[in-house]
Amino acid sequence: RPPAPPPPGAPTARILFLTDLHWDRQYVPGSAAACPDPLCCRGAPREGPGAAGFWGSYSKCDLPLRTIDVLLAQLPNSTGNGTGGFAAAYWTGDIPAHDVWQQSRGDQLRALRTVTALLRARLGGLRVFPAVGNHEATPVNAFPPPYVRGNRSAAWLYDAMAEAWQHWLPPGALHTLRAGGFYTAQVWPGLRLVSLNMNFCSQANFWLLINATDPAGQLQWLMGVLADAERDGEKVHIIGHIPPAHCLHSWSWNYYRIVSRFEGTIAAQFFGHTHLDEFELFYDEETLSRPVSIAFIAPSVTTYINLNPGYRVYEVAGSYPGSSHAVLDHETFILNLTEANAAPPGTAPRWRRLYGAREAYGLPAAFPADWDRLVRRMQDDEPLFQLFWFHLHKGHPPREPCGSPCKAALLCALRSGRTADPALCRPLRPALPFPRIQELWHQRRLC
């Protein structure tokens, strides 16, 4: 049965979504915003143009902690800003900066504990549900399967996460978090959350050369959680860092089958990692024509690369008998760096609402079928596509416009919830041959 809007007067809930914070503790205002290293805005301050801004920079730079702090400070649930606002927060990882060539385990644990403490201090009693990002480990992307023991294992990281997050998660969730970096917990009555460790599907995790199908038994575990939720009449939200279509082929296609099987139980999916504002659609396996789910991919808090800082708020159906717990709308908020860095010293920067999804795109609802129709509309409605392109980059798009090849690859990616499957894009009537679309799409994924 397709999802239906909640009845008039039914309660709704707002969920704060944070991803890809990437705190750089070596960020220095006035330092070089352009440099030969993989990460800039560090080192000695300098005079003249091209200097790093106080709150962040449009370059290959991450964020100082103060920018993350002012984001949290202006939220309605923040300590000192009153009560109300959010029912929960989802936080999908990537805490450390992109200085991956010089990180140690101590650096990663310091970032984990510092940012966790900041969230607890600013969000007060708001319950936060975290997920593991690919930058939490060192070396980056290196997440050995749970059967690897000793110093090569990831126990040093998972144990620290369980200790840092024990105030938010129940004992059962902490147990599987320590074992493999994933867990399940109840958000409120009728709604269960599953936090996946998407590093066990990552194309950059070389440990998966041993076994790429289900290296941690996580998909088997997910099937069990979803089957129990189906039996008990619960709906499920899935969170994770890396979106499914960025995963290794076998894992991605098996996950797609699971989503199709449990389309009546999975109410929503939420991911990050790309730093951009996008989504991935899932279709029934029989015809690949009926949209059954959508993976929302929220924009990053960090500026990396050439972006405004941003965060997302989801409105979902609340807790009442028969609730779908589905996403009803979402809003994206940004910090305009040009304005923030030009303000007088001591002025707190003002985060502003960039757009609301249903209002901006003229969506009657925010169900999978509505996003499917949006992709089709953007084929022929160029102003609508350019609006999406503007939002994709959090209000700071690249100077180079998105022409026909770029547009074909992007629309294909939006329709593809599983890896390397351009067949999902055949209904889009692209102007390019499918091998070329697949090539462009693959290049985009590698970015």
Side-chain angles (χ1 to χ4, degrees), residues 260-303:
S260 180
R261 161 62 182 85
F262 290 99
E263 65 168 294
T265 300
I266 299 172
Q269 305 176 65
F270 308 94
F271 297 92
H273 182 62
T274 72
H275 295 195
L276 302 178
D277 183 343
E278 47 190 331
F279 57 86
E280 295 172 355
L281 280 160
F282 290 66
Y283 296 85
D284 71 292
E285 289 194 295
E286 291 77 17
T287 68
L288 294 180
S289 63
R290 180 176 62 85
V292 300
S293 188
I294 181 171
F296 292 101
I297 304 173
S300 61
V301 175
T302 186
T303 57

Side-chain angles (χ1 to χ4, degrees), residues 176-402:
T176 56
L177 176 64
R178 289 181 184 274
F182 52 87
Y183 65 87
T184 181
Q186 188 182 70
V187 183
W188 55 67
L191 178 62
R192 175 160 298 280
L193 177 125
V194 169
S195 177
L196 295 178
N197 186 348
M198 301 298 285
N199 295 292
F200 292 130
C201 78
S202 171
Q203 300 176 20
N205 185 2
F206 294 126
W207 282 98
L208 303 191
L209 290 170
I210 301 172
N211 173 10
T213 304
D214 192 13
Q218 183 177 216
L219 289 179
Q220 189 69 39
W221 169 85
L222 173 63
M223 288 277 289
V225 172
L226 292 172
D228 290 345
E230 182 181 65
R231 179 198 64 208
D232 298 338
E234 291 182 316
K235 300 296 184 183
V236 173
H237 285 177
I238 295 176
I239 67 171
H241 184 69
I242 301 172
H246 290 63
C247 291
L248 289 167
H249 187 280
S250 58
W251 200 103
S252 178
W253 282 56
N254 282 327
Y255 179 81
Y256 201 94
R257 294 188 68 191
I258 292 171
V259 171
S260 180
R261 161 62 182 85
F262 290 99
E263 65 168 294
T265 300
I266 299 172
Q269 305 176 65
F270 308 94
F271 297 92
H273 182 62
T274 72
H275 295 195
L276 302 178
D277 183 343
E278 47 190 331
F279 57 86
E280 295 172 355
L281 280 160
F282 290 66
Y283 296 85
D284 71 292
E285 289 194 295
E286 291 77 17
T287 68
L288 294 180
S289 63
R290 180 176 62 85
V292 300
S293 188
I294 181 171
F296 292 101
I297 304 173
S300 61
V301 175
T302 186
T303 57
Y304 194 94
I305 297 173
N306 295 324
L307 299 167
N308 285 310
Y311 69 94
R312 168 69 52 80
V313 175
Y314 291 98
E315 182 186 6
V316 303
S319 183
Y320 58 89
S323 173
S324 68
H325 300 286
V327 172
L328 306 176
D329 201 357
H330 67 65
E331 297 176 297
T332 297
F333 296 81
I334 65 163
L335 177 64
N336 185 307
L337 280 182
T338 302
E339 297 175 359
N341 289 327
T347 304
R350 184 175 65 87
W351 294 73
R352 65 178 178 86
R353 181 179 183 265
L354 179 64
Y355 78 102
R358 289 182 60 185
E359 176 188 11
Y361 301 131
L363 304 177
F367 300 134
D370 300 290
W371 294 96
D372 173 68
R373 283 190 289 268
L374 174 64
V375 174
R376 297 169 186 268
R377 287 166 53 207
M378 285 195 290
Q379 292 181 89
D380 302 315
D381 189 335
E382 190 61 24
L384 180 65
F385 175 78
Q386 292 302 327
L387 178 64
F388 182 85
W389 179 253
F390 180 77
H391 292 155
L392 179 78
H393 296 90
K394 292 183 287 182
H396 193 257
R399 292 193 179 118
E400 182 180 352
C402 185

Side-chain angles (χ1 to χ4, degrees), residues 56-115:
S57 296
Y58 294 127
S59 187
K60 50 180 181 178
C61 304
D62 283 318
L63 287 179
L65 193 63
R66 59 179 162 270
T67 307
I68 302 171
D69 185 36
V70 296
L71 184 164
L72 299 172
Q74 53 87 41
L75 295 171
N77 277 79
S78 176
T79 302
N81 278 350
T83 59
F86 303 119
Y90 298 165
W91 174 29
T92 57
D94 269 14
I95 306 169
H98 285 84
D99 56 340
V100 298
W101 70 94
Q102 62 179 23
Q103 290 171 349
S104 66
R105 290 184 177 183
D107 295 327
Q108 308 307 79
L109 297 182
R110 176 178 179 177
L112 166 69
R113 291 164 180 156
T114 300
V115 175

